[in-house]
Amino acid sequence: MAAFSERMGLLFLACLLLCLSATQAVDRGNFKTCDQSAFCKRQRAMKPGQSAYRALLDTLELSDSRLTLQLINDNNKVRLLLELYRLQGNMTRVKINELKPLKPRYEVPDVLITDPPTEPLSVLSQDENGVVLSLGAETRRLIVSARPFRLDIMEGPQVLLSLNSRGLLAFEHLRLRKDTLSDKISSTVGSMWDKIKNVFSSNSQTDPAGAERTEDSDTADQHVEEKAADGESDKEDEQPGEWDETFKSHTDSKPNGPSSISLDFSLPGVEHVYGIPEHADNLKLKTTDGGDPYRLYNLDVFQYELYNPMALYGAVPVLLSHNAQRTMGIFWLNAAETWVDISSNTAGKTVFGKMLDYVQGASETPQTDVRWISESGIIDVFIMLGPKPTDVFSQYASLTGTQSFPPLAALAYHQCRWNYNDQDDVRAVDQGFDDHDIPYDFIWLDIEHTDGKRYFTWDPNKFSQPRDMLQNLMDKRRKMVAIVDPHIKVDSGYKIHNEIRSKNFYIKNKDGGDYEGWCWPGSAGYPDFTNPEMRAWWASMFAYDQYEGTMENLYTWNDMNEPSVFNGPEVTMHKDAVHGNWEHRDVHNLYGFYVQMATADGLIQRSGGVERPFVLTRAFFAGSQRFGAVWTGDNAAEWDHLKISIPMCLSLGLVGISLCGADVGGFFKSPNQELLVRWYQTGAYQPFFRAHAHLDTPRREPWLFGPENTALIREVVRQRYTLLPYWYQLFYHAHRTGNPVMRPLWVEYPEDVATFAIDDEFLLGRDLLVHPVTEEGARGVTAYLPGSEVWYDVHTFQKHNGGQNLYIPVTMSSIPVFQRGGSIIPRKNRPRRSSSCMESDPYTFYVALGSQKTAEGELYIDDGHTFNYEKQRQFIHRRLSFANNVLASSNLAPDAQFSTASWIERIIFLGAHKPSAITLRMSDGSESPVEFEFDAAMSVLTLRKPGMNAGADWTVVLR
């Protein structure tokens, strides 16, 4: 019987895969619209107007760092508790929960890196209409209006942000179902009558109303009062989808009933908002009037559509607003299914009366309104007040952490497909890169490398000697990534499954048994990664004596961790599955976050805490940046998918996830030669650079498309490797500050309105501007060069003025990249087979002189793979500066200790004048002449072999 069941399961899976293979694009009917999501439909039916909530000012309590205040819904008399915190770093936290919920509501753990430090709050004034609080700065205030309840954050006369200004605060309080409630009322009344009889029978003088009460009776009585006061409750109970909901063949039981929350924010003076990834859409978020809201609900979406608000693999509930005066952010800390509505309006239509009429007059001031809707949990929102883009990045990083500092090799080129067939195939592909003189660092293995989709194993026939395979790669100073997914084959002969089951670590179904769904292995269990004991056990499985056949050059890829459940609703887990005390609906968007967390911990622990991990994840949440890399999922070999990779990664960078990339060439379908080359040229200038392809696509290793295309791909991959020193220092800064590596132009030019909607070009750090060619048959592109500085074409060294749209003719070898005047960028220009082989190679500094004939930059060096930079301060960090004809290298970290064999091979000045002589001065006072060449036509000065060590103090003087 068991064998029959297994055969039927495999048949089901085969049919499913056949359907997937035959599908040309996502079947949108498999995924809900707002109208098909009961709580979204209920909430969205609520139109802007006067709020039902009123602040009870007599309940206000203020401590040094926290204000609490009760809110009451005048329609149903339910009370909420409002908490306000002023946080360090110019942030405000707003929490709203039920005052007396029937049971606790979910509050997201583990995402914040610490309890955010607070600063004192003080009351400036108070009357019957509201209270005014100081937010530290003399002119920055928070106004709490009582009737109706609303919050306004102001700076001087300007309203920065309003909360509940449109009256869309809605908090579905937990309540008993109608039949259960009737029983509870009878029970409570009976209990109270018994107490009254007991009191009087004992001749007590105590007022019956003062009889001892339990917390349960308090809560029940409150809900009795609510029921009596709320004439709509019976109707509410009868609304479809509150206590159960069916989508297609799946029914979601809702034992806790309706529990959704909603809150609106108004942003006067704002027309541009960004963030809330992941969506395959433009960088600037669109208004959602007349369509669906943006959805945040981690889903396995097969070959996703572009330019729509459908949910994808990850969810980061962070939205940034920007205008020429200010950048701000809203972080909605909720892990349940969430929808975000965006609309544009004018300030006078939605903000309160005379004050704004006086401040802003009757003009049509632009305004963006944002409404967040989540299925469960509480309202917990962080308002990041900037004012500069970099301030918002550091504010958000102080809450959720910064991008993990990846091993240097992770920033190099990765070669992947589903799947390399066996060890001989791996060896042949590896040799192919050497034969064609193309560098690479990582080769990847997808699910077929395992023994029957049993993760932490190897196929005994195809990968029988994994350590030999890994050693062969190590001998060439290369590495491998193998996939480890979080769906575990239900098989009594499989150690991983048996241990998870014996430890009771599987997620449960609503009836208490282990939850099972279908995924690649067939019937699969899903470990409960919200359980810290489960995460610790999972981490221990990466130890070399547990994960047999592994070595230190094997890293990990977590896929399908939304979680993907082929036979589940919307290809994911049932919301009424159970994680300990919580339903899956409460924690859904955290699942992938926890999988990557546990995996990264495992890679760190296996090395005794010495080595930095590299873990790629498909599903993610706020804070996932702490654990590794993200990619944009199952894209297609189409030009529009190439184009959309730019805004998708830009959006992720804005919310802290800098290590982002898209499958080069497209996962589905087969790119023609032009598209493949253009994708390599784009991917080489995005943070995570990996080629990947579907099982059913023809092989597409870089040398399979003819010598001409091989040469083009070889050249752009080598360009990536020459820039690794610059990439590495950008990620060092991202790790230290939270600033994105790949960033929109407006981040560096926040007052230039022309940059606000640009998403077909981008900056790497401050100093490189990239405009990939993403149009088929393009003969030219138009790039916007921002600012008042000059920009140099990195290939030709031609100089262009900023503040213009520049038309650039292109051929198939063209990659429009510009270096900012006033910058110094280090490169390593010797081609090698891998980044590790470049460790001691010499540097070339590119000094692009600005209009003032000055420039500055940095050089960061460490061992490239351990935590010693952090634990033992073993690194080199130097400032490079050019002014008054002197180029100097000075130490930015005098307390750090590290040595390097790398030296300075060349220094190239762009926009230079010809000197009469050049002298090198070392810190010991010694001097020596430096040979140079000068190209008068291009104003390029080249210093050859000055020869100083990259970690030394020195100056070069141009006479």
Side-chain angles (χ1 to χ4, degrees), residues 777-789:
R779 297 182 179 273
V781 300
T782 299
Y784 180 67
L785 303 182
S788 57
E789 278 289 5

Side-chain angles (χ1 to χ4, degrees), residues 62-352:
L62 179 64
S63 65
D64 285 344
S65 59
R66 175 175 178 257
L67 177 145
T68 61
L69 182 67
Q70 291 182 28
L71 310 177
I72 189 167
N73 184 325
D74 281 331
N75 291 337
N76 59 21
K77 306 310 176 189
V78 174
R79 293 195 180 197
L80 306 178
L81 180 66
L82 167 73
E83 299 174 74
L84 291 176
Y85 300 86
R86 177 185 160 213
L87 303 182
Q88 287 183 11
N90 202 15
M91 294 182 287
T92 300
R93 184 180 192 179
V94 180
K95 293 180 72 173
I96 303 176
N97 197 354
E98 293 186 55
L99 181 64
K100 295 180 179 180
L102 277 178
K103 59 180 293 185
R105 298 179 68 115
Y106 188 70
E107 299 188 39
V108 175
D110 300 318
V111 167
L112 301 179
I113 56 174
T114 186
D115 194 14
T118 59
E119 293 188 337
L121 275 169
S122 60
V123 174
L124 297 177
S125 64
Q126 182 175 351
D127 59 22
E128 68 277 6
N129 296 315
V131 58
V132 179
L133 303 167
S134 170
L135 290 179
E138 182 178 346
T139 60
R140 195 175 303 127
R141 309 186 300 285
L142 190 153
I143 301 172
V144 182
S145 300
R147 187 192 294 266
F149 162 71
R150 59 176 292 146
L151 297 178
D152 294 279
I153 296 178
M154 302 190 65
E155 190 164 80
Q158 180 186 6
V159 176
L160 301 180
L161 176 144
S162 298
L163 185 153
N164 199 37
S165 62
R166 298 195 298 155
L168 293 173
L169 168 62
F171 208 109
E172 292 185 329
H173 60 285
L174 300 179
R175 53 189 181 269
L176 299 170
R177 201 164 188 174
K178 191 160 51 175
D179 51 354
T180 308
L181 183 61
S182 300
D183 294 341
K184 187 72 175 180
I185 292 172
S186 300
S187 173
T188 302
V189 170
S191 175
M192 290 180 65
W193 179 242
D194 288 342
K195 289 182 180 180
I196 292 170
K197 289 192 292 183
N198 290 337
V199 167
F200 280 97
S201 65
S202 61
N203 296 316
S204 170
Q205 298 302 308
T206 305
D207 185 342
E212 180 183 354
R213 300 171 60 88
T214 66
E215 184 175 344
D216 285 347
S217 63
D218 276 350
T219 304
D221 291 352
Q222 175 189 327
H223 286 273
V224 171
E225 294 169 9
E226 291 163 4
K227 188 72 175 178
D230 185 1
E232 300 300 311
S233 287
D234 286 337
K235 295 178 183 176
E236 287 177 0
D237 286 349
E238 295 168 1
Q239 288 190 42
E242 286 194 332
W243 295 92
D244 55 66
E245 180 177 1
T246 299
F247 178 70
K248 291 187 171 289
S249 61
H250 302 283
T251 297
D252 173 20
S253 68
K254 299 183 180 181
N256 296 313
S259 59
S260 67
I261 55 176
S262 166
L263 187 59
D264 65 277
F265 300 80
S266 295
L267 298 158
V270 169
E271 294 182 86
H272 294 79
V273 291
Y274 313 90
I276 57 171
E278 182 177 37
H279 300 96
D281 209 344
N282 294 110
L283 177 65
K284 179 191 173 184
L285 298 173
K286 302 169 184 172
T287 59
T288 58
D289 298 332
D292 259 11
Y294 285 96
R295 191 183 188 198
L296 295 173
Y297 190 60
N298 294 359
L299 292 172
D300 179 359
V301 183
F302 175 89
Q303 196 172 324
Y304 49 84
E305 287 185 6
L306 309 184
Y307 305 107
N308 67 54
M310 285 180 67
L312 290 180
Y313 312 96
V316 184
V318 176
L319 179 140
L320 279 71
S321 68
H322 178 72
N323 61 24
Q325 292 75 43
R326 193 178 202 100
T327 307
M328 297 189 296
I330 299 171
F331 173 27
W332 178 267
L333 183 52
N334 190 295
E337 179 185 348
T338 297
W339 301 76
V340 185
D341 252 326
I342 298 171
S343 58
S344 294
N345 214 323
T346 56
K349 293 181 181 178
T350 57
V351 295
F352 61 141

Side-chain angles (χ1 to χ4, degrees), residues 884-945:
N884 301 318
N885 288 327
V886 176
L887 176 65
S889 173
S890 56
N891 197 349
L892 284 171
D895 62 330
Q897 299 294 323
F898 191 69
S899 61
T900 178
S902 294
W903 50 285
I904 311 305
E905 183 175 40
R906 282 190 301 173
I907 302 173
I908 300 175
F909 290 85
L910 311 180
H913 296 295
K914 183 178 181 179
S916 58
I918 300 176
T919 303
L920 170 65
R921 294 175 180 168
M922 301 303 296
S923 58
D924 62 3
S926 61
E927 295 188 1
S928 59
V930 179
E931 296 180 2
F932 65 91
E933 296 176 0
F934 183 71
D935 182 339
M938 296 303 298
S939 299
V940 174
L941 173 67
T942 302
L943 283 60
R944 298 197 178 277
K945 296 185 178 180

Side-chain angles (χ1 to χ4, degrees), residues 523-667:
S523 185
Y526 291 79
D528 185 0
F529 284 90
T530 68
N531 180 347
E533 294 182 7
M534 166 60 213
R535 296 198 300 271
W537 176 85
W538 180 267
S540 73
M541 290 297 100
F542 289 91
Y544 299 125
D545 61 351
Q546 294 290 334
Y547 190 174
E548 295 181 6
T550 61
M551 294 173 57
E552 56 268 33
N553 63 333
L554 181 70
Y555 296 81
T556 307
W557 171 18
N558 294 145
D559 196 4
M560 315 297 288
N561 54 342
E562 293 74 28
S564 179
V565 183
F566 291 159
N567 61 337
E570 301 191 273
V571 202
T572 193
M573 186 168 289
H574 294 75
K575 288 182 174 179
D576 54 11
V578 177
H579 302 250
N581 294 324
W582 304 104
E583 288 188 285
H584 185 71
R585 81 181 74 252
D586 300 312
V587 306
H588 175 85
N589 286 345
L590 281 174
Y591 193 76
F593 166 92
Y594 278 130
V595 174
Q596 191 185 22
M597 173 196 285
T599 302
D601 285 347
L603 296 191
I604 294 170
Q605 289 174 23
R606 74 178 186 181
S607 71
V610 173
E611 297 289 331
R612 283 179 255 164
F614 173 72
V615 182
L616 178 72
T617 184
R618 191 169 72 177
F620 52 86
F621 190 68
S624 287
Q625 66 270 12
R626 307 199 299 265
F627 311 120
V630 163
W631 94 106
T632 61
D634 296 344
N635 60 1
E638 298 172 357
W639 286 93
D640 280 348
H641 275 266
L642 169 59
K643 294 174 194 174
I644 208 72
S645 71
I646 299 173
M648 289 182 77
C649 280
L650 287 173
S651 296
L652 283 163
L654 289 175
V655 299
I657 302 176
S658 273
L659 194 46
C660 166
D663 286 345
V664 169
F667 179 66

